Amino acid sequence: MYAGYESSAGGGAAWELELRRLAASDDDMARGMFFQGTLDVVGFLGGEGAVARCKGVAGIWEINLLHMYPITRFLRMSSTAARLLAPQLDGFEGVLRRMGTQATVDFVASVFGRELMRTASGKPRLLLQSLGEAYLAAVTYGERYPLWTGETSARFIMRRDFMPAAYHEGVLHGVLEAVGAREVRVQGRQVGLLDSEYELSWK
């Protein structure tokens, strides 16, 4: 396990997001839907003042859902959001998990997400098989793929992804439920600063 992740509560988690930001290049970008999803969570739980603070930190005031923005700005926004909302959502990781769940809601509603749902045809295995390609319609970086461990279980691998495991726990849980999986379980772990793995099971 990535040693830096074990102490990633509170200030440690904020510092980890900063390390991820420093590891990003100008070519690492994500669509505005993820920014807006985070702001929706912040607005619901923290109000307009918190939204304005997150926008200011990211340096983005108007968001186009389909436009690509630097992931460095999203990491700044996410770090600020997590600090503001941590008392309400079981700490830093709770906020990131909620943000990941919201990201799934927004992605599934997008043209990219609708195509993914059509391809999956209500089958979790088809969903996971197609998920890596779907990610690359929404971000410019990373590699993602499943390793099958059973008929209703898999290990999902993410390489060079800038968000912590808690965020993608929310994403994966949400997207499996969106395709009709029941009793979904997702357990993530960091194996490097930008690398993570997720044990998935469902019924």
Side-chain angles (χ1 to χ4, degrees), residues 20-121:
R20 291 166 181 265
R21 188 184 70 80
L22 293 171
S25 75
D26 293 341
D27 295 327
D28 297 320
M29 309 186 85
R31 293 198 186 273
M33 70 180 81
F34 301 120
F35 290 75
Q36 188 59 55
T38 291
L39 293 175
D40 288 345
V41 172
V42 171
F44 181 73
L45 294 171
E48 288 305 309
V51 169
R53 186 169 172 184
C54 287
K55 285 183 174 181
V57 165
I60 299 175
W61 296 98
E62 299 295 332
I63 296 174
N64 180 321
L65 299 184
L66 296 182
H67 185 74
M68 288 286 193
Y69 297 92
I71 192 64
T72 52
R73 297 190 179 202
F74 186 62
L75 288 164
R76 286 195 186 101
M77 178 183 286
S78 299
S79 182
T80 299
R83 282 195 295 270
L84 291 172
L85 302 181
Q88 296 169 258
L89 288 175
D90 193 28
F92 216 87
E93 289 190 2
V95 180
L96 291 171
R97 200 170 286 111
R98 174 69 173 272
M99 287 165 47
T101 300
Q102 184 63 47
T104 298
V105 171
D106 297 330
F107 181 74
V108 168
S110 73
V111 62
F112 315 108
R114 291 195 297 271
E115 177 62 21
L116 175 64
M117 292 296 111
R118 185 194 66 78
T119 301
S121 303

Side-chain angles (χ1 to χ4, degrees), residues 68-187:
M68 288 286 193
Y69 297 92
I71 192 64
T72 52
R73 297 190 179 202
F74 186 62
L75 288 164
R76 286 195 186 101
M77 178 183 286
S78 299
S79 182
T80 299
R83 282 195 295 270
L84 291 172
L85 302 181
Q88 296 169 258
L89 288 175
D90 193 28
F92 216 87
E93 289 190 2
V95 180
L96 291 171
R97 200 170 286 111
R98 174 69 173 272
M99 287 165 47
T101 300
Q102 184 63 47
T104 298
V105 171
D106 297 330
F107 181 74
V108 168
S110 73
V111 62
F112 315 108
R114 291 195 297 271
E115 177 62 21
L116 175 64
M117 292 296 111
R118 185 194 66 78
T119 301
S121 303
K123 298 176 182 178
R125 285 177 67 91
L126 285 179
L127 172 84
L128 293 175
Q129 194 68 54
S130 304
L131 192 56
E133 184 176 347
Y135 259 95
L136 291 178
V139 301
T140 63
Y141 52 82
E143 180 184 12
R144 302 154 190 91
Y145 55 90
L147 298 175
W148 305 113
T149 57
E151 284 300 311
T152 58
S153 64
R155 178 175 300 119
F156 200 77
I157 309 299
M158 295 193 180
R159 298 290 181 250
R160 200 175 181 275
D161 190 287
F162 292 93
M163 294 304 291
Y167 180 88
H168 288 298
E169 285 178 348
V171 169
L172 293 166
H173 197 283
V175 78
L176 282 166
E177 286 192 334
V179 82
R182 297 175 294 107
E183 297 182 34
V184 176
R185 298 188 65 180
V186 181
Q187 181 64 52

